[in-house]
C-alpha cells in the first residue's frame, strides 16, 4: 500500500504490512518478531480485538479488507506451537521495585515491559486468578484462559511476582475474592513506583421503577461467575439463565457475551434491547473510511439464538412476590434539539409495550473505575471519574500523587484490549524514565 492506514488504525501501531509480507514469504519466525515489537499479547488481540486495523485497511474503501486479525492470530499460534515464544529476562537488575495494581491487559503489558527493563515487578490482583477482565469479563467460548496462563508462566520466568486475592485499598465489593488487604501507604513505602491498571468496573445503572426487584443484575455480576465455574470453582448461588426468559439491555460486546452465556445455560428465550437506532447492514465507506464505521455487527452469540430490537427504552420493571416478571418498554426516536444542537431521545407516542422476563441483565457499559481504589490512593480524578493523568510529554501517565502512575481503563475509561496494551506499554516507559532518568523501552 502507498499509505498503510492499518498502522494508524491499530492503537498499538502494529507493523502490519511487514508481518503480512513475512507471512506471504513463509518467514513466520520473523513475523512473530515483528509482531512482538509492538504487541506483548497478540493471542489476546487476535481473538477479542474488534480489529480497527481492518476498518482502516486501504482495500476497505471499496473492497473486503485484508484479514489482519486472523493473520495475527495465526502468527502467534504458530509461534507458541514452534516454541519461538520464550522468556526474555533482563540482562541485569536495576534494584528498583514497581508495584502494578490490577492484572488485566494494561497491567500485564506494563509489568512485562518493566521486568524486561530490569525492575523487580510485583502484580497485585484482587481475584484468585490473574487476568482481570480478560479472565472474568470475556467468556471462555471467546477466549480460552489457557492463553493467559501461558503468558503468566512466561512473565514469572522473566522475574515478575504475582500476588492474587490481594486487594489494594478499600474493599470495593466488585468481583472481589480478596483474602488480604494492603494499605496504599505501604505500597508507596515499599516500592519505588506504583502503576494503577485496574478496569473500569463501575457499571451504568438504570434507575427506573422496579429496579430493586430480584432477578435484575449487572452483566459483571453474571459473566464472571460462569468463568469461575468453567475454571472449576464452586459458586453457591450462581446466577443462572437456565429455563428463564432473559432480557439483555445493551447492544455492545458485553451484551453479546450475556446472550452467548445465557444460551449455554439453556435459557427459555433471550432478547437483547438497544436504545440506539439499528445501524445499517453495510457502512457508508466513502464517508467513514479509514475510521471505525457505524454498521450492524452480528456475533456468533447472536447467531446461536437471540431476538434483537433497537430504539427501545425501558420505563419500568414489574414483578410478582418481589421477583421481576416483565419489562415495560417504549420505542424512541433520536431528534436534534433546536436549543443545544445535540441529539435527544424522544418517546414515540402510543408505542409502549410489555415483554415477559424473569432474568434481566444490564450491559450498558461502564462509567468509571471503582471509586474506592482511587480514593484510597487520593489521586485526582477527571470529570468522568477516571484517574487524571496525561499521556504526552514530561510526566506522562503520572497521577497527582508522587510516584503513582495510571494506565488502561483506569485512566481512559472503558475501552478495548488493544488500547489497554498500548497504555500499559507506554506507561512502562514513563515509569522507567522516572526511575532511571532515561528509557530504552519502546513507546
Amino acid at each position: 500500500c502507498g499509505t498503510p492506514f492499518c498502522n494508524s488504525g491499530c492503537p498499538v501501531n502494529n507493523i502490519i504490512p511487514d508481518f503480512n509480507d513475512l507471512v506471504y514469504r513463509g518467514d513466520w519466525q520473523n513475523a512473530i518478531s515483528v509482531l512482538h515489537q509492538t504487541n506483548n499479547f497478540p493471542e489476546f488481540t487476535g481473538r477479542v480485538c474488534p480489529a480497527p486495523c481492518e476498518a482502516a485497511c486501504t482495500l476497505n474503501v471499496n473492497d473486503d479488507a485484508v484479514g489482519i486479525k486472523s493473520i495475527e492470530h495465526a502468527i502467534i499460534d504458530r509461534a507458541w506451537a514452534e516454541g519461538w515464544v520464550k522468556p526474555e529476562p533482563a540482562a541485569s537488575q536495576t534494584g528498583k521495585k514497581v508495584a502494578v495494581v490490577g492484572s488485566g491487559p494494561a497491567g500485564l503489558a506494563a509489568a512485562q515491559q518493566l521486568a524486561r527493563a530490569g525492575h523487580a515487578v510485583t502484580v497485585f490482583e484482587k481475584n484468585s486468578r490473574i487476568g482481570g477482565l480478560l479472565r472474568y469479563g470475556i467468556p471462555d467460548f471467546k477466549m480460552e484462559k489457557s492463553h493467559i496462563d501461558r503468558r503468566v508462566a512466561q512473565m514469572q520466568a522473566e522475574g515478575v511476582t504475582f500476588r492474587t486475592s490481594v486487594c489494594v485499598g478499600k474493599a470495593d465489593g466488585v468481583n472481589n475474592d480478596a483474602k488480604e488487604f494492603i494499605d496504599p501507604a505501604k505500597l508507596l513505602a515499599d516500592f519505588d513506583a506504583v502503576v494503577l491498571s485496574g478496569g473500569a468496573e463501575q457499571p451504568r445503572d438504570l434507575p427506573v421503577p422496579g429496579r430493586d426487584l430480584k432477578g435484575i443484575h449487572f452483566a459483571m455480576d453474571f459473566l464472571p461467575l460462569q468463568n469461575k465455574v468453567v475454571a472449576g470453582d464452586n459458586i453457591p448461588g450462581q446466577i443462572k439463565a437456565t429455563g428463564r426468559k432473559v432480557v439483555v439491555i445493551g447492544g455492545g460486546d458485553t451484551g453479546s457475551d450475556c446472550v452467548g452465556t445465557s444460551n449455554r445455560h439453556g435459557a427459555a428465550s433471550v432478547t437483547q434491547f438497544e436504545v440506539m437506532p439499528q445501524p445499517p447492514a453495510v457502512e457508508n465507506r466513502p464517508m467513514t473510511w479509514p475510521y471505525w464505521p457505524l454498521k450492524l455487527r452480528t456475533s456468533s452469540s447472536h447467531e446461536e439464538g437471540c431476538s434483537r430490537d433497537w430504539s427501545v427504552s425501558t420505563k419500568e420493571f414489574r414483578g410478582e412476590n418481589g421477583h421481576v416478571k416483565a419489562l415495560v418498554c417504549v420505542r424512541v426516536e433520536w431528534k436534534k434539539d433546536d436549543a443545544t444542537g445535540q441529539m435527544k431521545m424522544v418517546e414515540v407516542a402510543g408505542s409502549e409495550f410489555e415483554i415477559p422476563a424473569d432474568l434481566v441483565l444490564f450491559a450498558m457499559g461502564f462509567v468509571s473505575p471503582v471509586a474506592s481504589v482511587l480514593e484510597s490512593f487520593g489521586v485526582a480524578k477527571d470529570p468522568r471519574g477516571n484517574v487524571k493523568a496525561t499521556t504526552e510529554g514530561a510526566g506522562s501517565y503520572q497521577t497527582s500523587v508522587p510516584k503513582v502512575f495510571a494506565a488502561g481503563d483506569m485512566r481512559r475509561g472503558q475501552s478495548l484490549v488493544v488500547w489497554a496494551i498500548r497504555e500499559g506499554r507506554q506507561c512502562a516507559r514513563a515509569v522507567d524514565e522516572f526511575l532511571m532518568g532515561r528509557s530504552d523501552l519502546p513507546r
Side-chain angles (χ1 to χ4, degrees):
C1 304
T3 302
F5 287 96
C6 55
N7 281 18
S8 56
C10 171
V12 293
N13 302 123
N14 276 335
I15 314 168
I16 294 163
D18 291 36
F19 69 63
N20 279 353
D21 187 60
L22 288 164
V23 168
Y24 170 73
R25 297 174 185 279
D27 191 351
W28 292 81
Q29 192 161 4
N30 272 324
I32 186 59
S33 177
V34 169
L35 182 51
H36 269 151
Q37 286 178 32
T38 55
N39 187 351
N40 295 63
F41 313 119
E43 62 270 48
F44 302 163
T45 54
R47 285 169 168 80
V48 301
C49 179
C53 55
E54 293 184 18
C57 173
T58 304
L59 278 180
N60 197 49
V61 70
N62 63 352
D63 203 344
D64 291 333
V66 172
I68 300 166
K69 179 177 174 179
S70 61
I71 295 169
E72 180 179 1
H73 189 162
I75 293 170
I76 184 58
D77 282 4
R78 178 153 183 180
W80 279 110
E82 298 284 353
W84 297 332
V85 184
K86 301 180 184 296
E88 300 177 27
S92 59
Q93 296 298 306
T94 65
K96 303 291 187 180
K97 298 195 300 180
V98 182
V100 176
V101 181
S103 69
L108 292 178
Q112 185 165 60
Q113 293 295 96
L114 287 165
R116 289 175 176 179
H119 305 304
V121 181
T122 302
V123 177
F124 295 87
E125 169 57 49
K126 64 183 177 180
N127 283 298
S128 59
R129 295 180 178 88
I130 293 298
L133 292 176
L134 277 175
R135 171 82 63 179
Y136 294 110
I138 297 173
D140 287 70
F141 61 78
K142 284 179 67 174
M143 191 185 83
E144 305 91 334
K145 303 308 179 268
S146 57
H147 299 293
I148 303 173
D149 297 335
R150 192 158 52 180
R151 281 295 180 181
V152 168
Q154 179 198 30
M155 292 172 66
Q156 287 174 323
E158 293 171 347
V160 178
T161 299
F162 292 95
R163 293 187 59 185
T164 56
S165 298
V166 177
C167 182
V168 177
K170 303 173 185 175
D172 54 33
V174 179
N175 306 320
N176 199 330
D177 296 337
K179 298 177 181 177
E180 180 183 351
F181 295 86
I182 294 181
D183 191 320
K186 179 169 175 54
L187 281 195
L188 293 170
D190 292 349
F191 291 86
D192 299 292
V194 176
V195 176
L196 303 180
S197 56
E201 294 183 275
Q202 190 64 48
R204 184 171 284 109
D205 206 345
L206 186 59
V208 299
R211 171 63 182 88
D212 57 346
L213 290 167
K214 294 179 181 178
I216 302 173
H217 304 276
F218 292 115
M220 290 305 292
D221 292 333
F222 173 69
L223 295 173
L225 300 184
Q226 179 62 25
N227 287 7
K228 291 178 181 182
V229 168
V230 171
D233 292 352
N234 179 30
I235 307 295
Q238 180 192 0
I239 303 167
K240 297 278 285 186
T242 310
R244 293 187 173 187
K245 299 181 183 72
V246 180
V247 173
V248 179
I249 301 177
D253 287 342
T254 304
S256 169
D257 294 343
C258 289
V259 169
T261 301
S262 296
N263 283 329
R264 281 157 178 76
H265 282 179
S269 65
V270 183
T271 302
Q272 185 178 24
F273 288 146
E274 168 59 56
V275 73
M276 300 301 293
Q278 181 174 349
V282 179
E283 72 270 32
N284 186 340
R285 292 182 179 181
M287 290 294 289
T288 59
W289 177 86
Y291 301 108
W292 186 247
L294 175 68
K295 68 176 182 178
L296 180 63
R297 304 176 193 279
T298 300
S299 70
S300 59
S301 293
H302 295 134
E303 292 171 347
E304 290 165 0
C306 172
S307 296
R308 304 168 76 185
D309 205 349
W310 288 264
S311 299
V312 174
S313 177
T314 302
K315 296 189 69 175
E316 180 184 353
F317 299 107
R318 290 179 178 168
E320 292 178 9
N321 301 319
H323 198 283
V324 67
K325 286 298 179 184
L327 285 73
V328 178
C329 302
V330 65
R331 300 205 172 273
V332 297
E333 293 178 336
W334 291 86
K335 297 182 178 181
K336 183 174 287 188
D337 188 300
D338 293 334
T340 65
Q342 296 179 332
M343 298 302 289
K344 183 178 179 181
M345 187 176 74
V346 179
E347 294 184 6
V348 177
S351 66
E352 190 173 290
F353 66 97
E354 186 172 308
I355 179 172
D358 42 25
L359 177 61
V360 179
L361 301 171
F362 290 169
M364 301 173 292
F366 302 85
V367 295
S368 67
V370 176
S372 60
V373 178
L374 310 191
E375 290 166 359
S376 296
F377 278 91
V379 295
K381 294 185 281 188
D382 67 16
R384 296 185 301 152
N386 303 316
V387 180
K388 187 176 182 180
T390 182
T391 61
E392 301 295 336
S396 63
Y397 291 94
Q398 293 191 40
T399 72
S400 60
V401 176
K403 73 180 186 180
V404 177
F405 295 73
D409 286 6
M410 194 163 271
R411 192 205 66 82
R412 65 179 289 117
Q414 179 194 4
S415 192
L416 305 176
V417 60
V418 70
W419 273 107
I421 293 171
R422 171 195 173 115
E423 293 225 341
R425 288 171 61 89
Q426 291 190 346
C427 182
R429 180 183 170 92
V431 172
D432 192 32
E433 289 177 335
F434 169 76
L435 295 175
M436 308 303 295
R438 59 178 299 276
S439 179
D440 292 326
L441 290 174
R443 195 174 190 279

